[in-house]
Amino acid sequence: MRTKCTFSGSGGQGSALLAKLVCQGAIKQGLKVVMTQTYGIEQRGGDSTGYVIVSDNFIGNPLVENDADISVALSPSIYDGCVDGAVEGGIVLVNSSLITEMREREGVKQVPISASDMAVELGSVKCANIVMLGAALAATNMLEFETVEQVLRETLGAKKPALLEMNLNALERGRTVYASAAE
Amino acid sequence: MQELAKIYGDTLLLDKKFNYCPGCGHGVVTRLVAEAIEELGIRQRTVSVVGIGCGGFSHHYMDIDAIEAMHGRSPAVAIGYKTASPDKIVYTYQGDGDCSAIGLAELLHGANRGLPVTCFMINNNLFGMTGGQMSPATLENQVTATTPKGRDVHVHGYPLRVPEMMADMVGAKYVAREAVCDAKSIRKAAKSVRNALQCQIQGLGFSFVEFIVPCPTGLKLSVPDAYKWSREKMVEYFKPQVFKNEVGQNNEN
Amino acid sequence: MKSETLFLKNTQTFAEAMVRCGVRYHFAYPITPATEVMKHTAVILPEYGGRMVQMESELAVANALAGCACTGTLGATSTSGPGMALMQESISFMAAGELPCIMLDAMRVGPGDGDIVGAQSNYFQATRGGGHGDYRVIVLAPASGQEIVDLMPDAVKLAYTYRTPVLFVIDGVTCTMTESAIFPEAHDYAAGFDTSSWAYTGTADHEKRFLLTGSYTHSQGEEMNERLRAKFERIKEKEQRWESIQTEDAEVVLVGFGIHGRMGQDLVANMRAQGKKVGLIRPITLWPFPDKAFEQLPESLKSVLVVEMNHGQMLDDVRLAVNGRVPVHFLGKTGGDMPLCTLADMTAQINTLL
Ligand code: SF4
């Protein structure tokens, strides 16, 4: 099985971290994984997108070529790109806290999730990306939920117990909310 | 030859026929370098990186390993060598064209880096091997093969003084200019060669000696006139002096 | 270092792989996208008793590398096209002087200063060389992080066996991609080679020797060239490497190196699943070019498609190898936000040829 992901947001929203956590989870499960980033001169500021492919066999084509199975759109500026970059039958998770105007695209399922608001409730707007990660795991079966929990524990570790707690809650929140939002 | 080796030691290869023109200043400097190597007892761990030009022959008269580098790049080659083999003594032997025209960047950055390597720049103020063209050290109004009406400084710039640029570099620990025009200046030059190599042996940092030498062939002068020209014209603009000496005790300069 | 799986940018993988295989000195000058290599070696080389040395220019880099190689010690450098251009002088020098080293060209868009986005713009520069005279260096083109790791021991062995620079060329997209690679236990492959017969280490244990790439007589220049030619012939005969997939009954064969070769693996699988007879030849050595892969082309073959991240460079070598037996078509692209041909582009092109 092969899952192609697009994690997109504006500076500081943690889309790159989101991509990295998925990669670490994939490695933990012994899967093949490739991560590429948006090309261009700009190194800082503006939007950033992490493309990840998770697969159980060798990944020949490392590109996500407008065929993402799952996309996370964290901010309005990259929303169009996520919708257009989805494969037929793909899913786009939309951060409806910030993206207020959605447009239809036939064959692509868009799921609004107010990730930023939920993140604030959970303690910090910064964990909106983790809410989305929980939702993305629920929307696909690319990784075991527990694997990602484990990755979070290892990355945040004992050093930042409060932060870990919040992020684990965010992950869980994303998972549960996906089911109801996807109705 | 065996007899001579007893007097001169093993470094100088006395049976090797000189390729230098009669009266060439390279002959003197090459011998000074060989004698210093012999005296310091470093022959077997010394490697010479020579430039392109007449100075490229210098290693042939010594029983040491050598690398003939691309034009101007000897200091960079020496740095790579010294990085991998810090216990070896590495010196470059380059002309003024090799050093201060095409290889100035490598030389100055080498000096500034401060790795203990030694660069000898033999300044005969023109390109000798290729037939006496202007070099950065050619004097104002001096006639050469490429400055038939004399060096026009408004077109070709001014004669370039190299060690002056290094004097301020922290990494350079021994910086001198010597002349090889008469017995007295040769004795002083011999000391500078020893100091420069000593600087490297002690691991202090970069060392550099420029030698003002005559090239009778390139200057199209008789040997005595070439020496006179060097002594009078060159030394007036390129003043021999020790710019910096951190080699410490036992130096006589 | 024990065997382990690491998830790294491929530039970092390159750094890890070369250090784990015996490179102790890395000379470099910052240039996108190769800079990541020196950032990484600056951290890890001291742990191996080595050092990354940042030089003032690529001219100095390549000459310092030559100096390091003169001691018999394995050194390396990493750069991109504009830096490669400056290194040509010394690459020719090292080829002539038979000095072993490892080099990486993390290829970006050219010509001139070009763009920092990935490309395969330096096939000519790598395989023909812009340096002086008749010389060749071995050019390796891995297509993934894992292949960088797998080829590195061979690269070191080739460098010492043939006493030659070995140049890796990897497009910048692959370089900046992050993926996992399994590293075997670290092993200093350079240490296994005795360099005492040629290294310029001082006359304590040998007669005076000197490295000369010039000549004092005209016959010396000729002799050097004859000696090198014989060596290049040996390398050509023995060291061609490539991967062929399902070429035996193919109607169209795709030829691509690096990332396009890698994508070709998916392409062949997809097309075969649809019953379309497509095969792949992926050159791994660009010099020597794997002519042998083209010796036995199947009767069924209608045409060959070369795909590159440039406007047709390896294309020349494929045409020479195919030698007019079937038409050779080309698909290429360089620069832009998507600086390579997508799988969709390649698939569409192949469909027109079937
Ligand atoms: S050309 Fe000049 S520098 Fe060269 S050997 Fe003759 S005199 Fe010496």
Side-chain angles (χ1 to χ4, degrees):
Chain A
M1 199 198 64
R2 190 170 292 185
T3 311
K4 295 191 164 191
C5 320
T6 301
F7 302 112
S8 208
S10 299
Q13 287 190 307
S15 55
L17 176 66
L18 185 44
K20 227 174 156 184
L21 290 170
V22 170
C23 292
Q24 284 169 345
I27 290 162
K28 236 181 189 354
Q29 288 184 213
L31 298 165
K32 303 282 179 218
V33 59
V34 173
M35 178 169 74
T36 53
Q37 262 150 14
T38 23
Y39 306 114
I41 305 271
E42 223 85 49
Q43 293 248 351
R44 283 207 181 84
D47 306 326
S48 101
T49 302
Y51 297 103
V52 175
I53 304 175
V54 178
S55 174
D56 49 17
N57 59 6
F58 178 75
I59 300 162
N61 181 15
L63 302 177
V64 179
E65 314 179 348
N66 291 330
D67 58 353
D69 299 296
I70 178 87
S71 302
V72 170
L74 285 165
S75 69
S77 57
I78 47 71
Y79 168 74
D80 279 329
C82 285
V83 173
D84 295 336
V87 73
E88 281 277 313
I91 301 170
V92 181
L93 304 178
V94 182
N95 181 6
S96 55
S97 305
L98 301 176
I99 303 164
T100 46
E101 276 178 51
M102 285 169 56
R103 67 174 167 85
E104 279 293 304
R105 189 189 142 196
E106 215 181 313
V108 173
K109 178 165 146 189
Q110 299 186 51
V111 182
I113 294 171
S114 53
S116 295
D117 293 326
M118 289 175 195
V120 171
E121 280 169 36
L122 288 160
S124 165
V125 72
K126 281 194 172 164
C127 67
N129 58 345
I130 307 296
V131 173
M132 284 305 211
L133 177 55
L137 294 177
T140 62
N141 48 0
M142 62 175 163
L143 295 177
E144 306 287 339
F145 194 79
E146 292 69 33
T147 313
V148 180
E149 279 186 331
Q150 191 60 34
V151 169
L152 278 177
R153 281 203 186 87
E154 283 165 18
T155 19
L156 298 171
K159 278 180 280 176
K160 296 170 180 166
L163 210 58
L164 175 62
E165 185 68 22
M166 179 179 78
N167 280 294
L168 288 174
N169 289 339
L171 194 70
E172 179 58 30
R173 184 69 175 273
R175 170 159 83 156
T176 47
V177 101
Y178 176 77
S180 47
E183 295 294 290
Chain B
M1 288 304 156
Q2 229 97 56
E3 289 306 301
L4 286 172
K6 271 188 205 145
I7 306 166
Y8 292 101
D10 298 321
T11 308
L12 261 183
L13 295 173
L14 294 153
D15 52 348
K16 195 87 190 172
K17 218 177 125 220
F18 254 11
N19 286 68
Y20 299 139
C21 305
C24 173
H26 269 302
V28 180
V29 180
T30 300
R31 179 170 161 179
L32 293 182
V33 173
E35 284 175 352
I37 290 170
E38 183 71 26
E39 209 181 297
L40 294 164
I42 52 174
R43 177 179 65 86
Q44 292 189 325
R45 61 176 176 122
T46 295
V47 172
S48 177
V49 187
V50 300
I52 300 292
C54 297
F57 287 111
S58 60
H59 75 85
H60 286 289
Y61 316 120
M62 290 181 238
D63 189 17
I64 56 171
D65 277 0
I67 299 157
E68 300 200 3
M70 295 302 278
H71 198 18
R73 315 288 173 238
S74 313
V77 172
I79 282 163
Y81 190 105
K82 189 79 178 182
T83 299
S85 279
D87 56 327
K88 296 293 191 306
I89 302 301
V90 192
Y91 76 88
T92 73
Y93 189 107
Q94 312 167 259
D96 48 310
D98 200 81
C99 242
S100 71
I102 197 166
L104 189 65
E106 285 76 14
L107 178 72
L108 291 184
H109 279 283
N112 190 54
R113 187 175 295 273
L115 219 67
V117 299
T118 304
C119 292
F120 294 132
M121 166 172 153
I122 292 73
N123 180 359
N124 57 20
N125 100 333
L126 41 72
F127 287 93
M129 180 179 263
T130 48
Q133 298 85 4
M134 178 185 64
S135 88
T138 296
L139 296 175
E140 186 170 357
N141 295 326
Q142 186 184 334
V143 172
T144 70
T146 49
T147 51
K149 293 190 170 150
R151 179 177 186 157
D152 179 350
V153 293
H154 301 295
V155 178
H156 292 118
Y158 295 85
L160 188 64
R161 296 183 179 112
V162 174
E164 279 84 346
M165 290 189 267
M166 288 175 190
D168 204 31
M169 292 180 182
V170 181
K173 301 299 186 189
Y174 187 84
V175 180
R177 176 187 293 122
E178 301 292 353
V180 194
C181 322
D182 51 34
K184 193 167 158 235
S185 62
I186 291 172
R187 272 199 301 278
K188 281 185 68 189
K191 273 180 212 156
S192 258
V193 174
R194 275 200 304 277
N195 277 337
L197 290 172
Q198 193 65 51
C199 179
Q200 180 174 175
I201 293 167
Q202 292 177 10
L204 295 175
F206 182 83
S207 49
F208 176 86
V209 185
E210 173 184 356
F211 303 88
I212 304 299
V213 304
C215 164
T217 309
L219 289 168
K220 300 188 171 44
L221 292 173
S222 68
V223 173
D225 285 351
Y227 274 83
K228 185 162 179 279
W229 191 87
S230 239
R231 199 160 52 228
E232 288 167 6
K233 292 275 177 12
M234 281 293 280
V235 162
E236 187 187 324
Y237 187 88
F238 296 102
K239 294 204 167 55
Q241 58 199 290
V242 175
F243 295 90
K244 202 171 188 181
N245 180 4
E246 297 183 18
V247 180
Q249 319 86 5
N250 302 335
N251 78 78
E252 299 132 272
N253 275 299
Chain C
M1 278 292 166
K2 286 260 167 284
S3 168
E4 60 185 326
T5 301
L6 298 175
F7 180 64
L8 298 170
K9 248 188 201 180
N10 283 331
T11 35
Q12 297 170 322
T13 294
F14 189 89
E16 279 289 342
M18 73 182 189
V19 170
R20 286 169 189 239
C21 286
V23 167
R24 289 296 171 267
Y25 299 101
H26 179 212
F27 302 90
Y29 182 86
I31 183 167
T32 306
T35 311
E36 295 287 336
V37 182
M38 67 192 289
K39 278 163 69 182
H40 200 75
T41 53
V43 175
I44 64 170
L45 265 173
E47 296 165 18
Y48 289 80
R51 195 182 302 163
M52 188 283 286
V53 183
Q54 180 170 336
M55 301 294 289
E56 66 271 17
S57 70
E58 285 92 349
L59 267 179
V61 162
N63 283 282
L65 183 57
C68 171
C70 283
T71 69
T73 310
L74 181 62
T77 189
S78 50
T79 186
S80 187
M84 276 302 288
L86 289 178
M87 291 189 192
Q88 295 300 320
E89 172 192 80
S90 182
I91 295 174
S92 162
F93 175 74
M94 288 189 281
E98 303 192 75
L99 298 172
C101 68
I102 300 291
M103 310 181 82
L104 166 67
D105 178 1
M107 293 182 286
R108 63 190 238 190
V109 170
D113 204 22
D115 183 15
I116 57 168
V117 77
Q120 293 178 332
S121 50
N122 300 338
Y123 184 93
F124 285 152
Q125 196 187 38
T127 60
R128 271 64 173 168
H132 179 46
D134 276 291
Y135 72 94
R136 299 286 194 171
V137 298
I138 295 175
V139 183
L140 301 174
S144 67
Q146 189 62 57
E147 198 171 28
I148 292 171
V149 174
D150 295 344
L151 279 177
M152 195 60 77
D154 283 358
V156 176
K157 288 183 213 163
L158 288 167
Y160 276 100
T161 303
Y162 296 104
R163 288 180 52 198
T164 173
V166 172
L167 169 62
F168 282 82
V169 292
I170 309 176
D171 69 85
V173 173
T174 299
C175 281
T176 52
M177 196 185 287
T178 312
E179 59 184 331
S180 50
I182 304 164
F183 288 77
E185 201 169 322
H187 180 81
D188 184 347
Y189 290 92
F193 289 88
D194 181 9
T195 60
S196 66
S197 65
W198 61 266
Y200 305 90
T201 51
T203 51
D205 58 2
H206 58 251
E207 295 273 291
K208 174 187 173 73
R209 49 175 83 128
F210 58 96
L211 176 65
L212 177 72
T213 66
S215 43
Y216 293 123
T217 61
H218 296 314
S219 63
Q220 272 181 329
E222 188 179 15
E223 281 157 21
M224 172 172 73
N225 271 288
E226 282 303 324
R227 192 177 70 245
L228 292 174
R229 189 188 58 80
K231 178 169 88 173
F232 297 149
E233 287 302 326
R234 271 201 315 282
I235 297 173
K236 244 172 152 166
E237 184 48 41
K238 288 172 72 174
E239 306 298 347
Q240 297 183 20
R241 282 159 215 217
W242 72 91
E243 180 185 34
S244 286
I245 297 178
Q246 296 192 276
T247 50
E248 312 75 28
D249 63 341
E251 289 174 14
V252 177
V253 163
L254 173 75
V255 186
F257 71 97
I259 195 164
H260 283 309
R262 170 184 184 156
M263 291 165 76
Q265 300 180 357
D266 274 8
L267 181 133
V268 169
N270 294 347
M271 294 208 120
R272 288 277 170 174
Q274 298 167 26
K276 295 176 178 170
K277 295 193 168 161
V278 177
L280 170 75
I281 295 175
R282 180 174 70 87
I284 296 170
T285 51
L286 302 186
W287 194 87
F289 186 77
D291 292 315
K292 291 179 184 177
F294 296 83
E295 273 169 11
Q296 306 291 330
L297 294 176
E299 288 291 314
S300 54
L301 192 67
K302 289 198 278 195
S303 64
V304 167
L305 175 68
V306 179
V307 184
E308 298 181 74
M309 292 173 78
N310 57 45
H311 288 308
Q313 297 191 19
M314 181 176 68
L315 175 63
D316 287 6
D317 281 335
V318 176
R319 286 203 168 127
L320 286 169
V322 170
N323 200 14
R325 284 172 287 173
V326 292
V328 177
H329 303 280
F330 179 71
L331 179 67
K333 182 175 192 310
T334 195
D337 286 330
M338 179 59 83
L340 66 163
C341 301
T342 62
L343 199 66
D345 297 335
M346 290 156 72
T347 306
Q349 185 74 20
I350 294 225
N351 275 325
T352 68
L353 300 174
L354 280 166

